[in-house]
């Protein structure tokens, strides 16, 4: 009855507008809160993407406390070792466009285990865990092999992870993980969504000293630059 009343209120407040996404979000929020206050069955994470579709199978209900970015990144979310230090996580300013909100997160990492710890820590945040997409990319310099370990994840936002990694490559930043959370607002943004994702990432990289300025990052693609880790302040 509580849920029914909440859905009816949304209908009344948004008369004449499309409310399907608002209803889905309210139902997901309701089920999440209910699962956290009871020992009952877990609920699944319903996902609405830019390309449409819902991913929810009643026969396969994961633990809401162990949300994953995607099935492809399942192994990166396996429990991290307790002795691995959790790096400091910085959160950037959000960008909102046509009800979709984008927010970047950044952490200095030196090995894949720290990447895992940071991702797990981020997903302990209820708001981040409820994001429609959590796109990430990282680059780690391996001094012994004189090579760079790098990877990315779309989390359902096709090609977004690769574009984010390409930005890190252009800037030639090292030992850093960037995650961009997107909360889909029900209105398709088209190519603008990629612009917002990369702008979020670029801004927080500048703020944390991995890049010098917006002007420099825009010109980085045509120049050979010295690889950057975080600058000493």
């Amino acid at each position: 009855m509580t849920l029914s009343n909440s859905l009816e209120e949304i209908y009344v407040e948004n008369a004449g507008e499309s409310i399907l996404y608002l209803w889905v979000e309210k139902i997901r929020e309701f089920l999440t809160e209910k699962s956290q206050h009871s020992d009952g069955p877990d609920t699944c994470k319903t996902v609405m993407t830019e390309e449409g579709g819902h991913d929810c199978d009643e026969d396969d209900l994961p633990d809401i406390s162990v949300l994953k970015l995607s099935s492809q990144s399942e192994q990166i979310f396996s429990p991290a070792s307790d002795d691995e230090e959790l790096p400091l996580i910085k959160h950037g300013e959000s960008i909102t466009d046509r009800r979709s909100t984008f927010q970047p997160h950044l952490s200095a990492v030196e090995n894949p285990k720290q990447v895992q710890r940071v991702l797990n820590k981020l997903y302990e945040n209820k708001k981040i865990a409820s994001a429609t997409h959590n796109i990430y990319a990282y680059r780690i310099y391996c001094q012994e092999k004189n090579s760079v370990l790098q990877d990315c994840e779309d989390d359902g936002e096709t090609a977004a992870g690769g574009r984010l990694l390409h930005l890190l490559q252009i800037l030639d930043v090292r030992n850093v993980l960037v995650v961009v959370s997107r909360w889909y607002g029900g209105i398709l943004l088209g190519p603008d969504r990629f612009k917002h994702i990369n702008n979020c990432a670029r801004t927080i990289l500048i703020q944390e000293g991995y890049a010098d300025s917006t002007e420099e990052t825009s010109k980085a693609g045509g120049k050979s630059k010295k690889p950057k880790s975080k600058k000493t302040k």
Side-chain angles (χ1 to χ4, degrees), residues 26-229:
K26 173 58 68 175
I27 293 171
R28 178 165 62 182
E29 179 183 334
F30 176 83
L31 294 177
T32 300
E33 292 178 354
K34 185 175 181 180
S35 69
Q36 293 176 344
H37 291 85
S38 69
D39 295 326
D42 297 325
T43 59
C44 69
K45 178 184 180 184
T46 302
V47 177
M48 290 187 65
T49 69
E50 182 85 17
E51 299 178 355
H54 302 72
D55 298 324
C56 184
D57 186 353
E58 295 181 354
D59 297 325
D60 185 17
L61 303 179
D63 186 346
I64 197 70
S65 65
V66 191
L67 293 171
K68 302 174 182 178
L69 290 181
S70 73
S71 59
Q72 294 178 345
S73 60
E74 181 174 358
Q75 62 180 10
I76 200 73
F77 279 87
S78 59
S81 57
D82 295 334
D83 58 350
E84 188 63 47
E85 181 181 358
L86 175 65
L88 180 65
I89 303 174
K90 298 294 185 69
H91 306 280
E93 295 294 326
S94 61
I95 295 175
T96 300
D97 180 13
R98 285 164 281 178
R99 298 185 182 179
S100 281
T101 299
F102 304 79
Q103 183 183 24
H105 320 282
L106 178 148
S107 185
V109 293
E110 298 179 352
N111 58 65
K113 288 185 178 180
Q114 288 186 338
V115 173
Q116 176 179 317
R117 286 294 305 273
V118 171
L119 294 174
N120 288 339
K121 184 64 177 180
L122 285 173
Y123 260 67
E124 291 178 8
N125 183 297
K126 179 181 176 181
K127 179 181 178 182
I128 295 174
S130 68
T132 313
H133 309 288
N134 281 295
I135 305 104
Y136 71 82
Y138 66 87
R139 302 186 81 229
I140 300 173
Y141 177 63
C142 304
Q143 188 171 3
E144 295 180 357
K145 298 182 179 180
N146 191 28
S147 61
V148 176
L149 174 64
Q150 58 187 23
D151 198 3
C152 62
E153 172 58 50
D154 295 335
D155 189 28
E157 188 72 285
T158 306
R163 289 169 181 257
L164 181 57
L165 178 58
H166 183 60
L167 174 66
L168 303 188
Q169 292 170 335
I170 289 176
L171 300 178
D172 207 2
V173 296
R174 300 180 176 184
N175 300 330
V176 64
L177 164 69
V178 177
V179 181
V180 178
S181 301
R182 179 194 180 184
W183 292 268
Y184 179 52
I187 300 176
L188 302 180
L189 302 186
D192 284 349
R193 66 190 191 274
F194 300 121
K195 178 182 67 176
H196 295 322
I197 291 168
N198 274 20
N199 281 344
C200 275
R202 182 184 294 110
T203 299
I204 197 170
L205 285 167
I206 293 172
Q207 291 175 348
E208 297 304 318
Y210 288 89
D212 291 334
S213 67
T214 304
E215 180 179 358
E216 178 177 326
T217 59
S218 65
K219 297 179 180 178
K223 296 184 179 181
S224 177
K225 300 178 61 183
K226 181 179 179 180
K228 295 181 180 180
S229 294

